[in-house]
Amino acid sequence: MTRSFTFLVNPASGDGAAPQAVLPVARLLRGAGARVDVASSSGPQAVAALVARAVERGDVVVAVGGDGTLSHLVGAVCSGGGVVGVLPAGRGNDFARMLGLPTEPEEVAELLLHGAERCVDLLSWQAPGAPERLVAGSVYSGVDARAAALVDRMRWTPKPLQYPLGAVRALATYQPGRFRVVVDGVVAEYAAATVVVANSGYYGQGMHIAPSARVDDGLLDVVVVEAASRLELIRRFPRIYGGSHVELPEVTVLTGRRVEIAADARASVPVGADGEALGSLPGLGGPAAVVELRPGALRVVG
């Protein structure tokens, strides 16, 4: 039986490259006899309605964009019992990198038509007083959330330079925070630059932040980078691409299934997930934010 597809395109992904990326893939799928619908992901409510109709028809819902585009879809796909495909067309494409998914149109079409389904884990993010949000890759707080915000404002910087430049700028002005991190009930406190709760090993356009992470191992990897001088953090920053930063004494890696996180600093501590801002972490004086694992929650072609 030939699969059918609904492509949800984020027109802003890849600095506007996503709408063009879908054309050759859709053409190849239609040439193979598949039914293909293409729609623009114009907002959370519209996306939820589009996904619901696509899942009801039995379509594979294909995220055309980057990590943020995928994360906006996964909740609606999971609640409907649907299947996701990925056409990487964003800035980072780190979840696709983690899954080893292709980017060339012919290879993408072949995978979507004939690739096997697999089940991967997701993260659930719950801040006090806010609705739950499912996340594919990672939730990060501190200096890397600041870097992601800087990258989001870059329009004329060449794409390969955006994340490195954003990270260095964020490191050059960062202020450490006092973080409380509770992993499966075990409490620890850190003076830290950043805390990352990872499902996928990659973020920030190929930075291997959590080299031991696997998307189907039923575990969260928690990476804590403790405070150091700005110069020292910038000097050691390149190690993150190969994952050797985890060997540094100021880096702690924990694993578990439920993480509570809160922080105090001179200013509020920003938090983000898969390239999208989530606001600020709650302070140490009140209820913490919670990240929990949803094992095998997402069915994905690939």
Side-chain angles (χ1 to χ4, degrees):
M1 179 178 176
T2 301
R3 287 170 171 155
S4 57
F5 304 92
T6 292
F7 285 76
L8 289 183
V9 184
N10 182 347
S13 282
D15 296 326
Q20 291 300 313
V22 75
L23 296 177
V25 177
R27 188 182 306 116
L28 289 164
L29 293 175
R30 288 171 176 143
R35 183 178 56 77
V36 177
D37 288 339
V38 179
S40 176
S41 57
S42 54
Q45 291 184 335
V47 165
L50 286 167
V51 169
R53 290 195 293 271
V55 170
E56 186 177 359
R57 290 194 300 267
D59 290 0
V60 175
V61 180
V62 183
V64 185
D67 299 302
T69 302
L70 177 62
S71 277
H72 277 295
L73 297 181
V74 294
V77 174
C78 287
S79 65
V83 182
V84 160
V86 181
L87 172 49
R91 287 174 172 170
N93 304 317
D94 288 297
F95 200 73
R97 178 180 287 105
M98 188 69 187
L99 295 179
L101 300 181
T103 58
E104 293 299 319
E106 294 80 5
E107 295 177 356
V108 173
E110 177 67 19
L111 179 67
L112 290 174
L113 285 168
H114 304 298
E117 294 178 15
R118 59 183 294 194
C119 292
V120 300
D121 305 334
L122 294 175
L123 309 179
S124 164
W125 161 261
Q126 181 76 68
E132 178 190 41
R133 177 166 173 179
L134 294 182
V135 175
S138 61
V139 173
Y140 40 83
S141 54
V143 69
D144 46 3
R146 170 65 177 153
L150 291 171
V151 169
D152 194 50
R153 294 199 291 269
M154 293 181 185
R155 291 293 178 265
W156 308 111
T157 305
K159 197 156 48 171
L161 298 179
Q162 289 174 349
Y163 281 98
L165 185 58
V168 171
R169 284 180 176 173
L171 289 169
T173 58
Y174 99 101
Q175 297 289 337
R178 169 60 60 178
F179 287 78
R180 180 179 299 125
V181 181
V182 184
V183 181
D184 291 348
V186 179
V187 183
E189 291 199 0
Y190 305 91
T194 190
V195 176
V196 181
V197 183
N199 178 41
S200 169
Y202 294 96
Y203 75 170
Q205 201 177 37
M207 299 179 193
H208 208 179
I209 182 62
S212 62
R214 301 291 180 269
V215 294
D216 55 3
D217 64 355
L219 289 172
L220 304 171
D221 283 47
V222 184
V223 181
V224 181
V225 181
E226 294 188 66
S229 72
R230 293 170 180 168
L231 181 61
E232 190 66 14
L233 286 171
I234 292 171
R235 187 177 70 83
R236 293 182 171 183
F237 166 71
R239 296 184 64 160
I240 199 171
Y241 283 94
S244 66
H245 64 290
V246 298
E247 300 167 4
L248 298 171
E250 61 265 33
V251 177
T252 299
V253 180
L254 308 166
T255 58
R257 295 171 62 92
R258 186 178 192 274
V259 180
E260 300 172 41
I261 182 169
D264 281 341
R266 291 183 185 177
S268 59
V269 177
V271 59
D274 292 350
E276 302 287 321
L278 295 179
S280 301
L281 285 180
L284 298 177
V290 177
V291 185
E292 288 188 286
L293 188 76
R294 296 288 184 263
L298 182 66
R299 293 159 60 204
V300 58
V301 178

